[in-house]
Amino acid sequence: MEKEILKLARQAARGNVSAYGSLIVHYQDYLYRMAFLHVKNETMALDVVGDCILKGFQSIRRLKHPEYFKTWITRILIRCAADAFSKNRGEVPMDPAGEAFPAGTSGISAEEKWDLYDAIDRLPEKYKTVIILKYFSELTVREIAYAMDIPEGSVKAYLSRARKELRGHLKEGYFYAT
């Protein structure tokens, strides 16, 4: 599957609209989950994904490394989500029992999910983003660095600081980031 995704990304970068569409179909659930984690509202998340797809299409020819399509489109999504979130601060947050939580949180209660989500929301934006990319999207440090356009060392430092802050915010100690 990875070889096919890479082939599609190369074709899309050369202007193949159908290849770009296939990539979007492949990553649509991922893009929605990521947007939802950032804006916490279904309608806003759909708008963010739409904006991301459009901006990605408009700039696909500038994709220098097709093997990083997922992190490239994630970078666009993060910017679109930040724009949408800053424009719509009054929106109601999501129900944390929803699908946006990583598989590892299925054994915790709804209250614990709310606490976790609230703790993540209280993090500075750069820490929140690395936590979401690492634990919800399962990106590597290298991919996160590419998506956020920062050095890998900064990603590691942000993850360490974010986990420390999360431990301080969470009362029960049910979230142990590795």
Side-chain angles (χ1 to χ4, degrees), residues 101-166:
F101 278 87
T105 64
S106 61
I108 63 175
S109 70
E111 292 87 14
E112 290 171 328
K113 286 181 182 180
W114 271 113
D115 290 343
L116 172 61
Y117 208 73
D118 184 55
I120 291 170
D121 269 353
R122 287 187 279 174
L123 293 172
E125 192 62 34
K126 61 188 176 185
Y127 296 171
K128 176 181 174 179
T129 300
V130 296
I131 289 292
I132 289 171
L133 293 175
K134 176 71 175 166
Y135 297 104
F136 291 72
S137 297
E138 299 177 352
L139 295 182
T140 66
V141 169
R142 172 178 264 168
E143 291 169 330
I144 294 168
Y146 182 81
M148 293 181 68
D149 198 24
I150 59 175
E152 288 181 37
S154 295
V155 172
K156 291 175 185 176
Y158 292 173
L159 282 169
S160 176
R161 292 173 191 149
R163 287 189 297 253
K164 185 177 180 181
E165 281 195 36
L166 282 173

Side-chain angles (χ1 to χ4, degrees), residues 50-114:
D51 290 346
C52 171
I53 292 169
L54 178 61
K55 288 179 181 181
F57 181 74
Q58 292 169 337
S59 60
I60 188 67
R61 289 183 177 264
R62 289 181 279 187
L63 175 62
K64 294 176 184 162
H65 302 285
E67 63 272 20
Y68 292 123
F69 176 82
K70 183 179 179 182
T71 51
W72 175 81
I73 199 76
T74 299
R75 181 188 297 184
I76 294 170
L77 182 92
I78 290 167
R79 289 180 186 145
C80 291
D83 290 347
F85 190 72
S86 66
K87 290 177 190 173
N88 299 298
R89 285 231 175 243
E91 295 291 336
V92 177
M94 74 163 221
D95 173 4
E99 294 291 319
F101 278 87
T105 64
S106 61
I108 63 175
S109 70
E111 292 87 14
E112 290 171 328
K113 286 181 182 180
W114 271 113

Side-chain angles (χ1 to χ4, degrees), residues 10-31:
R10 285 181 179 143
Q11 291 172 349
R14 289 191 299 266
N16 184 322
V17 175
S18 178
Y20 181 76
S22 295
L23 286 167
I24 295 303
V25 167
H26 179 76
Y27 288 114
Q28 68 187 0
D29 291 338
Y30 164 78
L31 292 172

